[in-house]
Amino acid sequence: MTRLLVECTYVYEHPKANSGIQRVVRNVIRELPTKGQGRECLPVVMFRGEIYEVKSLAPLPDRGLDLVSLRGRLERAANLFWLAQRTLESRRPFNQSLWARRLLYAGCRLFAFGCLSIPIRLIDRLLRHKPAPARIVPLQHRPDDILVLLDSSWHADFFPLAEQLKRDGVRIVSVIYDLIPLTHPQFCDEGLVKVFNRWFDWIARTADGYVAISATIRDQVRQEMVRRIGEQRVEERWFDYFQLGSELDLADADGAVDRELQRLFEQPEPVFLMVSTIEPRKNHAYLLDAFERAWAAGSQARLCIIGKIGWKCEALIERIRRHPQLHRRLFVFNDASDQSLEHAYLQATALVFPSYVEGFGLPLVEAMQRGLPAMGSDIEVFREIGGEFMAYFDLDDPQSLADLVTGMEHSGVFPATRPLDQWQWLSWRQASEQLVERIERHNVLADREPVCG
């Protein structure tokens, strides 16, 4: 019986993380096909040089201190602290004096080292010596297993283990979400660009197959592989893609919706919704430009931004904080629950998604599956997902989005070629099944036509 060992190490270690990749991993793992038809799918984690089967991704009740959660809170605190430092650095007197900036930076480094870095390092040391919790059990690999690297493995330290598994006959399949750190490094942290580049070199040498989350990314991956290792070696590997689901698995029917968000939708004026982490690639500045044009033309539409604060966004956050329409026509929610997000999807007028580049665009299908029409930037992957059911705007012209907003506000008609009630998408169960089936199909083909190195 073929076993698919589906790796989910990062999500296991950070169970409360809920950005795009974590949402995908958690839902695919939850909906893995049950044992049967000559296959078995097992979620696994890899650390301490061993492989473990996951019995529960969610943390088990623990009377002791939850070190993993504490470490996560400290990491988030560190991110917010340095965001505040960079914001303060841009103001007087620091923006007028090099010595003042150096003094500020030195003070912040000292504080961060003593109050954040040292506690994080101590927790890491404790976690390394803490017995493995009961939600995982040791797993012995077999020569005919398939290791599916589903999680964000570029920051992992299990590469030697994976290489040993391959020497023992285990095939390796890498799920690739996008190549943005390679194709658009200006949108990413410099450290991530270096780490991701090293990871891609490793995965190019190591994996037997690659599954992207869209046909667009599948083709990009193949092109990048040809550039790095040559056409002949690329022909020895296989490339495919699967599509993502749309349910919000952390939405609790009995959970509370943010009261301020509720009040936003109790007013009659239309609400246009943006859902994403706030970072340069998502293009929130373009969004503000477009809505400022619409407001200047007399629009009463409101813009609701839902997403945590990310990186390289200090100027944007300052612009939002000082915006004259904040809390009037501009609203921002950085810590919305899935239940609040579900409410927003169901109540908004339309989704607006002006990203420069995406691997998929999960908010698009989350919105459209709930009957919320979506306006997106005119990029290839959005055309792949939305087709004639979406409306598109020009990233070089904010007025094109302003015109879509005011046009829909006045007419009440969404300007897509085909009506949204004819659009259908996959559930997470179907997405997980699709991933497994496509991996199995290529595995069978590889067995029939063995590759000679």
Side-chain angles (χ1 to χ4, degrees), residues 25-72:
V25 173
R26 199 174 53 247
N27 281 285
V28 168
I29 292 296
R30 189 187 73 247
E31 299 292 353
L32 283 174
T34 57
K35 183 176 180 180
Q37 298 180 335
R39 70 181 178 204
E40 184 177 11
C41 301
L42 301 173
V44 300
V45 296
M46 304 167 69
F47 58 91
R48 303 174 189 168
E50 302 290 342
I51 188 166
Y52 297 83
E53 180 184 354
V54 177
K55 295 300 184 180
S56 172
L57 268 182
L60 299 174
D62 188 351
R63 294 180 181 178
L65 182 63
D66 186 350
L67 293 175
V68 172
S69 296
L70 178 58
R71 189 187 190 286

Side-chain angles (χ1 to χ4, degrees), residues 143-214:
D144 58 347
D145 286 340
I146 302 173
L147 175 63
V148 182
L149 299 179
L150 177 66
D151 214 334
S152 48
S153 58
W154 44 88
H155 49 62
D157 60 359
F158 56 66
F159 298 150
L161 172 58
E163 292 166 4
Q164 181 59 54
L165 294 178
K166 183 160 186 179
R167 287 193 292 270
D168 292 342
V170 175
R171 290 175 178 172
I172 296 179
V173 174
S174 177
V175 175
I176 299 182
Y177 295 88
D178 60 64
L179 297 183
I180 292 167
L182 304 181
T183 59
H184 297 77
Q186 69 272 24
F187 295 140
C188 304
D189 178 79
E190 186 176 327
L192 172 62
V193 173
K194 293 179 180 178
V195 167
F196 193 93
N197 187 59
R198 287 196 297 268
W199 169 81
F200 195 87
D201 276 341
W202 178 81
I203 210 69
R205 297 191 312 270
T206 308
D208 301 283
Y210 307 85
V211 186
I213 58 173
S214 64

Side-chain angles (χ1 to χ4, degrees), residues 23 193 229 261 268:
R23 190 184 294 278
V193 173
I229 64 175
L261 187 138

